[in-house]
Structures are given as C-alpha cells and as structure tokens.
Amino acid sequence: MALTWEDVVTLAVGLPGVEESTWWGSPALKVGGKGVGRLRVEAEGGLALVCDPVEKEALLASGDPAFYTTPHYDGTGFILIDLDRIDRERLREMLDDAWWLTAPPKVRGQREFQTY
C-alpha cells in the first residue's frame, strides 16, 4: 500500500523535537530548525530524506526500486524514496536514522526517555 505525506508525518512526529514545516517551498520535517526530509514537488517526486552517505550507496546498489537519486542529490547526504514502493516499517527505521543524524545533541539526549 502506498504511503502518503501524512503517513510520513505521523511516523516522524513521535521522535523528540520533530516538527512539520516547509523547506524549499515544499512540506518538510525539521528538528532543531534543521531539515530531516522534505516531500519533493519536482517532476521526479519522492521523499528526500537525510541519509548516511555509506548507507545511501548501499541502498542505491541494492536495486530496490524504492530508492533512487537524481543528479542534484548525487554526492549528498540525501536519499530519494518512492513512497509508493517503501514498506512502512522500513520508512520508520529510516526516519529514525535521519532524525539521529540531524537532531542536536541536546534533543538526542531526550531520546532515552521516549519510546518510538
């Protein structure tokens, strides 16, 4: 079943400090004022999500059609995700990873007191 932006928000706002916002004129998620991910309105669509560069390369090499990139995102710490093709639980894990990479240390310290 295809996931929607509303599903992404629902999964992400359970993490400390995550807020729905805008970024580059599109719906976004931020923590501590920093972008975690945004819904792309460009022709290719998808969710641009913060991702460790090594993990990004592994995801792209896996051949899983849920993950892709464009020249603009090549060499960056963002992976593009097709919400029609990603499993909800996998997206939850990736949002958690993106949050950890983005959240300020003080906000990350709140994590031990909350369950996700």
Side-chain angles (χ1 to χ4, degrees):
M1 183 169 111
L3 297 176
T4 65
W5 173 249
E6 291 75 24
D7 295 323
V8 175
V9 172
T10 298
L11 292 170
V13 296
L15 294 163
V18 172
E19 300 175 331
E20 190 172 7
S21 185
T22 59
W23 188 12
W24 293 101
S26 62
L29 297 168
K30 293 183 179 178
V31 60
K34 297 168 113 182
V36 174
R38 75 177 187 92
L39 185 64
R40 296 181 72 240
V41 294
E42 294 85 355
E44 304 88 6
L47 174 67
L49 190 65
V50 170
C51 186
D52 175 81
V54 173
E55 176 72 9
K56 175 182 177 177
E57 290 307 314
L59 290 169
L60 293 173
S62 75
D64 185 331
F67 307 110
Y68 63 102
T69 189
T70 65
H72 177 77
Y73 288 95
D74 289 347
T76 70
F78 285 87
I79 186 81
L80 301 180
I81 301 171
D82 184 338
L83 293 176
D84 290 335
R85 296 179 176 208
I86 190 162
D87 172 81
R88 183 180 191 89
E89 197 53 41
R90 179 68 174 129
L91 180 60
R92 179 188 307 273
E93 292 169 7
M94 292 185 73
L95 285 164
D96 186 69
D97 291 345
W99 175 85
W100 187 260
L101 290 169
T102 308
K106 185 175 181 178
V107 175
R108 285 195 311 245
Q110 297 172 18
R111 182 61 187 276
E112 64 189 22
F113 302 110
Q114 296 191 8
T115 57
Y116 178 56

